[in-house]
């Protein structure tokens, strides 16, 4: 049987092990996960910037919002003639919505495989041992107990460290923040 992941892990080790070695606490590499989250956020944000026509996407979204507003207003007024006219336009709007969805999936085709490989590397490396202790208020506001309940239901066991989160939740928090900053910096007109 051919080992496909060996060379992949080797390449990822060559890229990420130096980052892991520079982490002030390699046994609990929170900084490494933060840097990886930045790299992944940068890759996905740049892919979105250059593979999706943001102006066209925003125009279609505004058009869809205006259409929905006109339809709601006509329904509130009980204007059957206007509703029938708008429902005739609805097929064209659905085509636009399908085109919007297709446009938004373009970057995923480019970024999906590299991101999955990075996730596999993080799970197989020292990163998987990461535990971040959060302040109690942040722990509750970010709904971590719900994630712990879902994890215990799916995987068994329970969270043993009070206010602790693992590498995946820490990665998600970091990626969310980094993506928002990068989107703002690269001039995206809308949030997510």
């Amino acid at each position: 049987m051919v080992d496909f992941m060996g060379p992949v892990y080797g390449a990822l080790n060559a890229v990420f092990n130096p980052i892991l070695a520079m982490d002030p606490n390699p046994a609990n590499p929170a900084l490494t996960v933060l840097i990886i989250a930045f790299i992944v956020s940068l890759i996905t944000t740049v892919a979105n910037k250059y593979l999706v026509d943001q102006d066209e996407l925003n125009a279609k979204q505004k058009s869809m919002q205006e259409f929905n507003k006109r339809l709601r207003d006509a329904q509130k007024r009980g204007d059957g003639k206007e509703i029938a006219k708008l429902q005739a336009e609805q097929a064209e709007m659905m085509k636009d919505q399908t085109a919007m969805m297709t446009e938004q999936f373009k970057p995923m085709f480019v970024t999906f495989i590299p991101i999955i490989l990075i996730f596999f590397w993080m799970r197989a490396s020292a990163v998987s041992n990461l535990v971040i202790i959060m302040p109690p208020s942040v722990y509750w506001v970010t709904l971590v107990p719900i994630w712990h309940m879902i994890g215990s239901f799916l995987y068994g066991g329970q969270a043993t460290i009070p206010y602790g989160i693992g590498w995946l939740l820490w990665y998600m928090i970091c990626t969310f923040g980094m993506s928002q900053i990068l989107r703002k910096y690269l001039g995206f007109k809308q949030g997510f």
Side-chain angles (χ1 to χ4, degrees), residues 3-165:
D3 179 22
F4 291 107
M5 293 307 287
V8 172
Y9 283 142
L12 290 172
N13 281 334
V15 172
F16 294 120
N17 277 348
I19 297 170
L20 189 60
M22 289 188 311
D23 199 304
N25 187 2
N28 199 25
L31 183 61
T32 300
V33 174
L34 179 71
I35 292 169
I36 291 171
F38 174 77
I39 292 168
V40 170
S41 296
L42 183 64
I43 290 168
T44 56
T45 306
V46 168
N48 271 301
K49 177 77 172 172
Y50 293 108
L51 295 176
V52 176
D53 185 352
Q54 297 297 320
D55 294 329
E56 180 183 345
L57 187 65
N58 288 333
K60 286 181 180 179
Q61 286 176 339
K62 284 181 183 177
S63 173
M64 186 67 68
Q65 289 171 351
E66 289 171 9
F67 174 81
N68 288 334
K69 184 181 182 304
R70 289 186 354 227
L71 183 60
R72 277 192 310 272
D73 291 344
Q75 289 171 338
K76 284 181 185 176
R77 290 189 316 265
D79 188 351
K81 194 174 187 179
E82 182 69 17
I83 292 172
K85 178 184 161 197
L86 290 171
Q87 286 176 341
E89 289 179 34
Q90 196 166 21
E92 189 64 34
M93 296 305 291
M94 294 303 279
K95 287 180 187 175
D96 281 349
Q97 193 168 17
T98 302
M100 269 182 6
M101 293 294 289
T102 304
E103 188 77 14
Q104 289 174 323
F105 277 119
K106 280 183 190 176
M108 188 179 79
F109 295 125
V110 174
T111 60
F112 182 73
I113 298 295
I115 290 171
I116 292 298
L117 293 175
I118 290 170
F119 268 57
F120 282 140
W121 178 84
M122 287 197 301
R123 190 187 68 184
S125 72
V127 169
S128 65
N129 299 325
L130 174 68
V131 175
I132 299 285
I133 307 298
M134 302 177 82
S137 58
V138 174
Y139 178 82
W140 290 103
V141 168
T142 56
L143 305 175
V144 172
I146 292 173
W147 293 108
H148 283 171
M149 284 188 329
I150 293 169
S152 67
F153 175 74
L154 294 175
Y155 304 111
Q158 60 184 12
T160 57
I161 299 173
Y163 307 114
I165 62 171

